[in-house]
């Protein structure tokens, strides 16, 4: 459904498809209304702040490894592990904003994504600079559902039980 301006009708009485809410944004991403821009700024600042705090925590962990004097090999191994996992988590999170992730693959990568949490936070930060994270994917799906609904309902004219029978 749409109103006189051609914008989608997302009211409670609408029979058409409903937009899927996004984390931190609800359905404000549809019309960019009700505090959408401040929410985007808040998400960007929050994810960047969380990434900075996480880097500080990892720095303390690195200093703990140096104090324990466990050796260069293990220290390098830990640093490389966090760097690689963060890069993979960034890529996986970034791709998740444009296409639905495979649930089986998501489950198998859960440990890697937990280790590379800084990469996921940074992907969230960079995406929130241009749009609500996941907005593009949800918008494409929502517009396709609206289009299907419009085509399906536009063919119907009148009550089908009152159809005249041809003799």
């Amino acid at each position: 459904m749409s109103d006189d301006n051609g914008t989608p009708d997302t009211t409670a009485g609408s029979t058409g498809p409903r937009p899927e809410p996004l984390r931190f944004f609800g359905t404000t991403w549809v019309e960019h209304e009700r505090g959408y821009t401040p929410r985007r700024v808040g998400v960007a600042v929050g994810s960047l702040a969380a990434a900075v705090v996480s880097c500080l925590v990892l720095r303390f962990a690195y200093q703990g490894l140096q104090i324990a004097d466990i050796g260069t090999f293990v220290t390098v191994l830990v640093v490389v592990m966090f760097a690689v996992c963060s890069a993979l988590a960034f890529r996986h999170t970034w791709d998740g904003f444009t296409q639905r992730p495979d649930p089986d693959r998501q489950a198998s990568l859960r440990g890697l994504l937990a280790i590379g949490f800084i990469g996921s936070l940074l992907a969230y930060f960079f995406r929130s600079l241009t749009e609500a994270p996941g907005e593009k994917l949800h918008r494409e799906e929502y517009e396709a559902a609206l289009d299907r609904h419009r085509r399906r309902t536009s063919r119907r004219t009148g009550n089908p039980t009152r159809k005249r029978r041809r003799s």
Side-chain angles (χ1 to χ4, degrees):
M1 295 285 181
S2 62
D3 62 8
D4 295 334
N5 299 331
T7 57
D9 182 12
T10 57
T11 59
S14 171
T15 59
R18 304 250 189 268
E20 188 176 340
L22 290 174
R23 182 183 298 151
F24 304 122
F25 294 91
T27 57
T28 61
W29 60 268
V30 176
E31 300 290 332
H32 292 190
E33 63 195 8
R34 298 183 320 235
Y36 171 80
T37 303
R39 288 179 193 212
R40 247 187 55 208
V41 170
V43 165
V45 169
S47 60
L48 184 62
V52 168
V53 169
S54 300
C55 286
L56 290 174
V57 169
L58 286 179
R59 174 73 178 146
F60 292 138
Y62 177 77
Q63 286 177 341
L65 290 176
Q66 284 187 329
I67 291 170
D69 195 29
I70 57 172
T72 306
F73 177 72
V74 174
T75 303
V76 168
L77 194 64
V78 168
V79 169
V80 169
M81 176 198 62
F82 273 105
V84 169
C85 288
S86 290
L88 291 173
F90 179 93
R91 181 63 183 188
H92 181 76
T93 304
W94 191 264
D95 288 344
F97 295 142
T98 56
Q99 59 189 3
R100 294 271 180 190
D102 177 30
D104 295 331
R105 185 170 184 261
Q106 185 83 10
S108 67
L109 292 176
R110 187 170 291 135
L112 181 130
L113 296 174
I115 294 170
F117 61 98
I118 293 175
S120 293
L121 288 170
L122 290 176
Y124 215 78
F125 166 72
F126 286 120
R127 180 59 78 162
S128 63
L129 293 177
T130 58
E131 67 177 7
E135 178 181 343
K136 181 179 179 183
L137 172 67
H138 286 78
R139 186 170 302 282
E140 288 171 356
E141 291 174 350
Y142 179 60
E143 287 176 355
L146 278 176
D147 187 47
R148 283 191 307 271
H149 177 73
R150 274 190 221 111
R151 281 187 276 132
R152 188 176 61 239
T153 56
S154 67
R155 283 188 248 155
R156 297 180 186 160
T157 56
N159 187 346
T161 59
R162 293 185 177 180
K163 232 180 189 179
R164 283 188 283 178
R165 305 262 180 197
R166 292 187 183 180
S167 307

